[in-house]
């Protein structure tokens, strides 16, 4: 209570004082660049994924543009030590995504390397995935995929190095005859997502759909 008075939660865009369970104020939420994607129909994210791997459906919550509120929100989640941001983004996603009859069987998020996890203190996708799992009634498993190598963040690498994703991930258990919903924070080049997707696809008679917080 005292901490809330001394350090009130503020809107990421305009710094107005807002409730503890909010990211932006009622005015600035209108500036969040929601994509309005339809999960079961063609959209920009699905088109970009399909150039890299077979994809069933795809959904991006926001557009990740320079100097946008959306970008500030994702950066707070990843670099601002605000893990609870993932919960709010999951609630926004659950309100906007609609599944066809073929709902995914399992939710899997892109893993961090243990060294990166130790540096950051949390995986920015875990709370997002866990919250979404409850709201959409789809089980999740954080242990299915492991990251084999420690690498610099994609944003810190030039394009020539971003393609170096061979053997970056591997499965820790067998997956077959499953429709997997693969989750990540931002879709940029798609190389990381593609690397994980192919590990799942080549493991058995599996299908992959994609869900990201934002698409660049």
């Amino acid at each position: 209570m005292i901490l809330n008075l001394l350090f009130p939660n503020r809107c990421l865009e305009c710094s107005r004082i807002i409730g503890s369970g909010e990211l932006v104020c009622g005015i600035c939420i209108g500036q969040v660049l929601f994509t309005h994607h339809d999960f079961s129909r063609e959209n920009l994210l699905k088109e970009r994924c399909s150039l890299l791997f077979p994809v069933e459906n795809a959904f991006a919550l926001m557009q990740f543009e320079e100097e946008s509120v959306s970008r500030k929100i994702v950066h707070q989640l990843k670099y601002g030590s605000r893990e609870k941001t993932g919960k709010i983004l999951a609630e926004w996603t659950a309100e906007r995504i609609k599944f066809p009859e073929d709902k995914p069987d399992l939710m899997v998020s892109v893993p961090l390397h243990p060294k990166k996890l130790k540096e950051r203190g949390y995986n920015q996708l875990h709370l997002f995935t866990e919250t979404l799992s409850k709201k959409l009634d789809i089980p999740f498993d954080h242990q299915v995929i492991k990251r084999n190598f420690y690498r610099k963040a994609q944003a810190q690498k030039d394009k020539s190095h971003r393609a170096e994703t061979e053997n970056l991930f591997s499965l820790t258990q067998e997956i077959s005859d499953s429709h997997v919903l693969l989750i990540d924070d931002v879709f940029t080049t798609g190389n990381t997502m593609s690397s994980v997707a192919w590990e799942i696809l080549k493991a058995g008679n599996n299908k992959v759909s994609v869900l990201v917080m934002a698409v660049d």
Side-chain angles (χ1 to χ4, degrees):
M1 186 66 158
I2 295 177
L3 286 176
N4 288 339
L5 291 173
L6 294 175
F7 305 102
N9 189 34
R10 293 184 179 275
C11 172
L12 292 177
E13 178 65 7
C14 70
S15 296
R16 288 187 179 90
I17 295 176
I18 54 177
S20 59
E22 299 177 301
L23 294 174
V24 291
C25 68
I27 296 174
C28 292
I29 195 169
Q31 299 180 44
V32 177
L33 300 174
F34 292 112
T35 64
H36 305 291
H37 280 173
D38 187 325
F39 180 76
S40 60
R41 296 184 180 181
E42 296 296 319
N43 57 58
L44 177 61
L45 178 60
K46 184 176 180 180
E47 290 174 5
R48 291 175 63 183
C49 287
S50 65
L51 296 174
L52 301 170
F53 57 89
V55 61
E56 296 297 309
N57 299 295
F59 178 91
L61 176 64
M62 304 178 293
Q63 298 175 38
F64 194 69
E65 295 185 5
E66 292 286 345
E67 306 301 325
S68 66
V69 181
S70 307
R71 196 180 189 94
K72 291 179 182 178
I73 290 171
V74 175
H75 278 196
Q76 279 297 310
L77 172 65
K78 294 182 68 172
Y79 310 116
S81 300
R82 291 184 60 166
E83 185 180 10
K84 70 175 184 178
T85 298
K87 181 176 185 296
I88 299 171
L89 289 174
E91 291 169 350
W92 287 0
T93 300
E95 292 170 358
R96 290 166 173 81
I97 192 169
K98 297 292 184 293
F99 290 109
E101 292 183 5
D102 183 20
K103 189 166 80 168
D105 305 306
L106 179 67
M107 300 173 68
V108 174
S109 58
V110 174
L112 294 176
H113 187 273
K115 183 178 179 180
K116 175 64 72 174
L117 182 61
K118 185 176 180 180
E119 290 174 356
R120 185 169 294 170
Y122 62 94
N123 184 317
Q124 73 275 11
L125 299 175
H126 281 185
L127 185 56
F128 176 84
T129 302
E130 291 159 14
T131 303
L132 206 56
S133 172
K134 293 179 182 178
K135 290 186 172 295
L136 301 179
D137 193 27
I138 301 174
F140 69 88
D141 192 330
H142 294 321
Q143 309 303 320
V144 169
I145 296 283
K146 72 171 182 177
R147 186 181 289 257
N148 297 320
F149 310 110
Y150 177 79
R151 305 176 70 108
K152 292 190 295 183
Q154 290 285 73
Q156 298 174 4
K157 300 172 66 178
D158 61 41
K159 290 183 179 180
S160 65
H161 289 130
R162 290 183 186 182
E164 299 173 2
T165 54
E166 186 177 359
N167 301 319
L168 180 57
F169 300 95
S170 59
L171 291 179
T172 62
Q173 61 195 60
E174 183 179 340
I175 303 178
S176 60
D177 300 309
S178 297
H179 182 182
V180 178
L181 181 60
L182 188 54
I183 295 174
D184 204 359
D185 44 32
V186 180
F187 187 98
T188 50
T189 65
N191 290 324
T192 298
M193 184 72 77
S194 178
S195 181
V196 180
W198 278 113
E199 290 299 320
I200 295 170
L201 289 167
K202 71 185 184 183
N205 186 32
N206 298 313
K207 297 185 293 185
V208 169
S209 288
V210 168
L211 189 157
V212 296
M213 298 173 186
V215 58
D216 196 347

